[in-house]
Amino acid sequence: QKEVEQNSGPLSVPEGAIASLNCTYSDRVSQSFFWYRQYSGKSPELIMSIYSNGDKEDGRFTAQLNKASQYVSLLIRDSQPSDSATYLCAVPLNSGGYQKVTFGTGTKLQVIP
Amino acid sequence: SQTIHQWPATLVQPVGSPLSLECTVEGTSNPNLYWYRQAAGRGLQLLFYSVGIGQISSEVPQNLSASRPQDRQFILSSKKLLLSDSGFYLCAWSGTSGRGRFFGPGTRLTVL
């Protein structure tokens, strides 16, 4: 099992719809989780972090965490064409006091006007 | 606020040539610094990380090396590039807790 798994997509949604991006992880002791957005040809940008079970909302973005199921998701409400990008899930893994962050391979989102 | 710079933005190099990529961070002290590589269609691969001046840890054995001569400067080098070294090289920083990564704009390297 990969440490961090994401569906590569592409996930296509119409403009104005809710986009749901999913990520599973293997390390049961992971305590923090991150979502990055990467536009084509650009570097990843941190958009959300979540540390406890439940939902965290920031504007049109909601991160959902379920530690029992080892599952984290990102919902994008009222999707816009400008949201079209690859979304990377990242999970720090404890390793000798240094937190090694493992990135998923990303889900490509396409928002259709 | 913190800013991270990388240069050059793009680079085309012949096989066997040397490499030097530089990264600097502004607006923070004693950051953790990282070099990642993202090959076409693949995920982010951690190459090196540093928790302080002169302290370098390698994650993947290869023909690359890294150095941290100053607190906010991180350099990626190679004596002889291989075709497989092509990719998008990203420098990142984090606080000492290690949470999150903040990436620079990246260097796109093509080895011919």
Side-chain angles (χ1 to χ4, degrees):
Chain A
Q1 181 187 6
K2 290 183 181 178
E3 293 174 311
V4 180
E5 289 199 69
Q6 295 182 258
N7 188 318
S8 61
L11 172 66
S12 295
V13 300
E15 184 174 355
I18 296 175
S20 178
L21 305 163
N22 305 314
C23 172
T24 58
Y25 59 95
S26 61
D27 187 351
R28 290 188 171 274
V29 301
S30 294
Q31 296 295 315
S32 49
F33 307 86
F34 305 91
W35 283 100
Y36 290 80
R37 177 176 61 200
Q38 186 174 23
Y39 291 114
S40 180
K42 302 296 185 182
S43 61
E45 173 192 9
L46 179 63
I47 56 172
M48 288 286 284
S49 58
I50 186 167
Y51 306 108
S52 56
N53 274 332
D55 296 359
K56 178 182 178 181
E57 186 175 318
D58 184 1
R60 296 186 296 111
F61 298 94
T62 299
Q64 298 178 319
L65 175 60
N66 184 325
K67 289 186 178 180
S69 300
Q70 294 175 239
Y71 179 94
V72 58
S73 63
L74 179 70
L75 301 179
I76 306 175
R77 292 182 301 281
D78 188 23
S79 295
Q80 301 296 309
S82 59
D83 295 325
S84 298
T86 297
Y87 290 80
L88 307 174
C89 172
V91 181
L93 306 174
N94 287 326
S95 175
Y98 158 73
Q99 289 195 317
K100 174 182 175 181
V101 175
T102 298
F103 288 82
T105 53
T107 298
K108 186 173 183 178
L109 173 65
Q110 296 176 338
V111 180
I112 312 300
Chain B
S1 63
Q2 299 84 12
T3 308
I4 180 167
H5 303 278
Q6 282 187 251
W7 63 91
T10 60
L11 193 59
V12 180
Q13 293 284 93
V15 170
S17 64
L19 174 73
S20 181
L21 303 180
E22 190 164 343
C23 168
T24 58
V25 181
E26 297 178 354
T28 185
S29 297
N30 195 32
N32 290 343
L33 296 174
Y34 312 85
W35 279 111
Y36 288 87
R37 177 171 61 200
Q38 189 174 41
R42 300 182 66 180
L44 285 165
Q45 179 186 32
L46 178 62
L47 303 175
F48 301 94
Y49 69 89
S50 171
V51 299
I53 296 174
Q55 301 179 62
I56 307 295
S57 296
S58 174
E59 289 292 309
V60 181
Q62 58 213 328
N63 67 322
L64 299 172
S65 61
S67 61
R68 184 170 177 175
Q70 300 180 40
D71 181 46
R72 290 170 287 179
Q73 184 184 29
F74 206 22
I75 297 171
L76 182 70
S77 303
S78 174
K79 292 182 179 179
K80 289 186 177 182
L81 284 168
L82 306 173
L83 285 173
S84 57
D85 291 324
S86 293
F88 192 33
Y89 286 81
L90 293 156
C91 181
W93 75 274
S94 74
T96 52
S97 70
R99 288 182 169 185
R101 298 287 183 270
F102 300 94
F103 290 89
T107 295
R108 193 161 301 279
L109 171 67
T110 303
V111 182
L112 301 175

